Amino acid sequence: FENIKKTISISESDIKDYYDKNKSSFMSDAFAKYQYIDVDKKDIINEIPVTDEIISNIYNNNLANGDYNKPVKYEINHILINNKSNESKAAIENALDDLQSGSSFSEVVRLYSNDEETINNKGYLGEFILDDLPSYLSSELVNLKITEISNIIESDNGYHLISIKNKIIDKPSSLDQVKNTILSDYKKEMGTRKYFDLIDAMEERNFTKTFTISDMSSEFNVAIISGKFISKNEGYGIFNFDFVRNQLFTEDVIDNNNTSDLIFINDDRFILAALLTYKEPLQLSYDESKDIIKALLLTKQAEDLIRTISENQRNDLNAGIINIDSKFKKFTGTLDSEDLENNLKEIFFSTSAETGFLATKLDNNYLIYNIDAVTY
């Protein structure tokens, strides 16, 4: 295609003739300037006022509800006898008898346990909260008093006995410890509510098409921003998004001078816009258009010429007027062959044998080929 394009010459008269016949196609973009309201949930959240009294009230309510209580920590004695054999069951029963008779966990572990970790820690499991423990231990633990010995507990590992050595109950978190969290959560909750209330109220007003953007600004105490000129094809900032510009260059906004619908940039931000200034598309002069026309004519003529050349060569090959020459390459292989580009393989293996020569467009180029045989 590129080689054929180089052989084509476009004259000045060709360009001028095309311009005169298609002048209406060569117009500048329409440009518009908007004033708009930009509402960002993050800004609303940051502006939510918070007093020490509000924080104190929230803290006291949450404190009364137990929200700031810290989980109880348990120091635990433990014995494990691995395997669930008759011997293990007898050993754990003997261990329970000894513990209930006053023997220490370290002594009972020494006599009965066959678990290496239990032997190494001499029956002291450590300090845990309930959520740190497997359910077969935690469910038994909550019913025990300090120093009381549990019933025999069976698990996939074997047999267990536990006892609470000590309970550690920390004081609830202080106001200073949770103040920043209360502040952040309060502002986020109140700001999010205000944001969605604002959406509902502005959509309700906007639906009537009787409220101007100035009315909206005054009622909801939000600033109006004056933008720069943009076109439907190009913008800046939030106007870089095609979906934003598409909702601004509409008959309702441009011709009827109504405010736009609420345009959501994302879940947490939207704008409402109204037309400020509009510049109609202008007729491009011949000098402004001729480079575009030249490129257009050059491409069109090259496309027509390469199609004609390719179809003629295909027809001549099929008619036997010309023969295959050195320009043709031969391929023999499978779909997995690595010596041929995938796009060519897709064409070859989707064509039946004995169809004659074909001319197929491949990007801007043409592929001329025939299939001698396909073996399945």
Side-chain angles (χ1 to χ4, degrees), residues 89-107:
K89 185 66 180 295
I92 200 70
E93 289 172 349
N94 291 333
L96 177 60
D97 289 341
D98 287 3
L99 288 170
Q100 290 175 338
S101 299
S103 297
S104 67
F105 263 82
S106 59
E107 178 64 18

Side-chain angles (χ1 to χ4, degrees), residues 116-171:
E116 185 175 345
E117 185 176 349
T118 303
I119 294 168
N120 289 338
N121 60 37
K122 297 181 180 179
Y124 178 67
L125 188 60
E127 187 178 290
F128 297 90
I129 63 173
L130 288 177
D131 288 344
D132 292 337
L133 296 168
S135 59
Y136 58 82
L137 294 183
S138 61
S139 59
E140 184 76 19
L141 194 69
V142 293
N143 299 315
L144 293 179
K145 299 175 182 177
I146 294 177
T147 71
E148 184 180 2
I149 309 300
S150 71
N151 297 316
I152 295 171
I153 303 166
E154 184 177 337
S155 77
D156 291 341
N157 296 322
Y159 298 103
H160 309 254
L161 292 168
I162 58 173
S163 176
I164 300 173
K165 184 178 181 181
N166 189 28
K167 276 186 184 181
I168 303 167
I169 303 175
D170 289 334
K171 292 180 180 179

Side-chain angles (χ1 to χ4, degrees), residues 190-201:
M190 300 306 293
T192 300
R193 287 184 185 178
K194 185 174 180 180
Y195 175 73
F196 286 110
D197 287 345
L198 188 60
I199 289 174
D200 291 341

Side-chain angles (χ1 to χ4, degrees), residues 34-38 213 222-227 236 269 274 276:
Y34 298 89
Q35 53 184 356
Y36 62 98
I37 290 169
D38 187 351
I213 199 162
V222 287
I224 294 178
I225 304 168
S226 292
Y236 68 95
R269 186 183 180 189
L276 198 57

Side-chain angles (χ1 to χ4, degrees), residues 38-45 188 191-200 203 238 241 243-244 262-271:
D38 187 351
V39 180
D40 192 323
K41 187 171 78 172
K42 293 177 184 175
D43 294 335
I44 295 176
I45 289 172
K188 185 175 181 180
T192 300
R193 287 184 185 178
K194 185 174 180 180
Y195 175 73
F196 286 110
D197 287 345
L198 188 60
I199 289 174
D200 291 341
E203 283 184 330
I238 56 173
F241 298 109
F243 72 88
V244 173
L262 269 61
I263 303 172
F264 288 87
I265 312 303
N266 53 46
D267 290 342
D268 297 334
R269 186 183 180 189
F270 68 87
I271 65 169

